[in-house]
Amino acid sequence: MITESIQLLKQVDLFSCLSEKELKELEPFLYERTYKKGQYLFLEEDPRLRIYILIEGFVMLEKSNQDGSLLYTNYVKRNTVFPYMGLFTNEEYNHSAVAETDIRVLYMVTDAFETLISKNTMLLKKVILQINELLAVQESRIKNVMTPSAHIRVLNTINYLMTDLGERQSGLIRINCPITTTKISVMSGTSRETVSAVVNKLKKDKILSIKDRMLHIHKPEYFERKVI
């Protein structure tokens, strides 16, 4: 009998290379938990005890400096395994993770996950490929922040959010995660005032709209043309 946990794992790209028998062998190591919006899954420098699989909702990974200012943020979406940072090397988490919406996760003990991928060449290869994809995205974001124009940095950030988190619905792309001007300002390295000015202009030009703090992109090609 296939349990719900195994059915959920089968939808996660990382585990798509495993047979049903191999998936069933994971079951004793899997646990399920829900978190409310705003709850932390773990904090930076906590012992790196668990690897998570996000089943529903959105998670934000955050890294702060000594005065508490956010230096780095990154969204985690459904059917994603996290965090990869520190795999096999670090004993502590490099980031904090907070539920951006109500979420549902599966998790397993880090040691069990590391043992699993070290014994399965196909799974290890998929982990490496996914880490490479994450690095490519982060390199693109670094390039974005180095762009002198704050206006272009905001547009590039919205384009990144649209590409990574957006879902096509009735002729538009909707980002089903609440996005604040503060988050966009951190991700783009600009002030909240600049973000507000850019977003208000986009709303006026009917390029995007905001409903319940969700971004609706009506003209996605506009951002694709603007990316530098």
Side-chain angles (χ1 to χ4, degrees):
M1 179 179 177
I2 301 176
T3 64
E4 185 183 12
S5 294
I6 299 306
Q7 289 282 18
L8 292 170
L9 273 191
K10 290 173 72 173
Q11 300 174 32
V12 178
D13 179 64
L14 178 65
F15 300 104
S16 62
C17 63
L18 299 183
S19 66
E20 197 166 292
K21 180 177 181 294
E22 289 172 318
L23 288 170
K24 285 182 179 179
E25 291 173 355
L26 287 179
E27 193 168 17
F29 305 103
L30 287 173
Y31 304 88
E32 184 176 335
R33 184 172 176 185
T34 59
Y35 292 81
K36 291 293 186 183
K37 178 181 177 181
Q39 282 189 289
Y40 278 85
L41 288 73
F42 54 83
L43 296 173
E44 187 177 347
E45 298 185 353
D46 277 352
R48 201 171 61 85
L49 300 178
R50 298 173 176 175
I51 295 293
Y52 294 84
I53 303 114
L54 184 59
I55 302 302
E56 296 175 4
F58 292 89
V59 166
M60 173 68 78
L61 299 180
E62 301 177 339
K63 191 173 183 66
S64 304
N65 59 17
Q66 291 183 346
D67 66 8
S69 300
L70 288 177
L71 295 176
Y72 170 86
T73 60
N74 192 44
Y75 286 94
V76 178
K77 58 187 176 182
R78 186 168 59 89
N79 290 339
T80 300
V81 178
F82 70 98
Y84 281 131
M85 181 67 72
L87 206 61
F88 291 109
T89 56
N90 294 6
E91 294 183 356
E92 300 174 341
Y93 290 115
N94 291 74
H95 307 91
S96 299
V98 60
E100 284 292 290
T101 60
D102 291 350
I103 65 168
R104 179 186 179 196
V105 297
L106 294 175
Y107 69 87
M108 65 177 74
V109 175
T110 300
D111 288 345
F113 181 75
E114 291 179 346
T115 299
L116 172 68
I117 62 177
S118 66
K119 291 181 177 180
N120 189 306
T121 304
M122 291 181 64
L123 195 59
L124 179 59
K125 182 179 179 180
K126 287 190 74 71
V127 168
I128 292 171
L129 289 173
Q130 291 196 1
I131 291 174
N132 286 342
E133 289 175 4
L134 289 171
L135 287 173
V137 170
Q138 299 315 312
E139 286 178 1
S140 177
R141 287 185 60 190
I142 290 171
K143 181 181 177 181
N144 172 33
V145 173
M146 294 177 67
T147 300
S149 168
H151 180 87
I152 293 296
R153 292 202 301 273
V154 174
L155 295 180
N156 284 350
T157 298
I158 295 174
N159 183 65
Y160 158 72
L161 292 169
M162 175 184 70
T163 303
D164 191 46
L165 306 180
E167 297 181 8
R168 289 198 174 272
Q169 296 181 2
S170 304
L172 55 81
I173 295 179
R174 172 186 164 99
I175 300 175
N176 292 314
C177 179
I179 308 290
T180 65
T181 54
T182 299
K183 291 288 171 60
I184 295 177
S185 70
V186 171
M187 296 178 78
S188 60
T190 60
S191 67
R192 284 178 294 178
E193 290 76 17
T194 298
V195 173
S196 294
V198 173
V199 169
N200 286 336
K201 178 67 164 55
L202 294 172
K203 289 164 63 178
K204 181 180 178 182
D205 294 340
K206 302 187 184 307
I207 293 166
L208 63 73
S209 59
I210 300 175
K211 184 177 181 181
D212 298 327
R213 294 171 61 192
M214 310 288 185
L215 292 180
H216 295 68
I217 312 297
H218 301 281
K219 298 179 181 178
E221 66 280 0
Y222 175 87
F223 299 98
E224 294 161 1
R225 290 197 304 266
K226 292 291 184 178
V227 172
I228 293 179

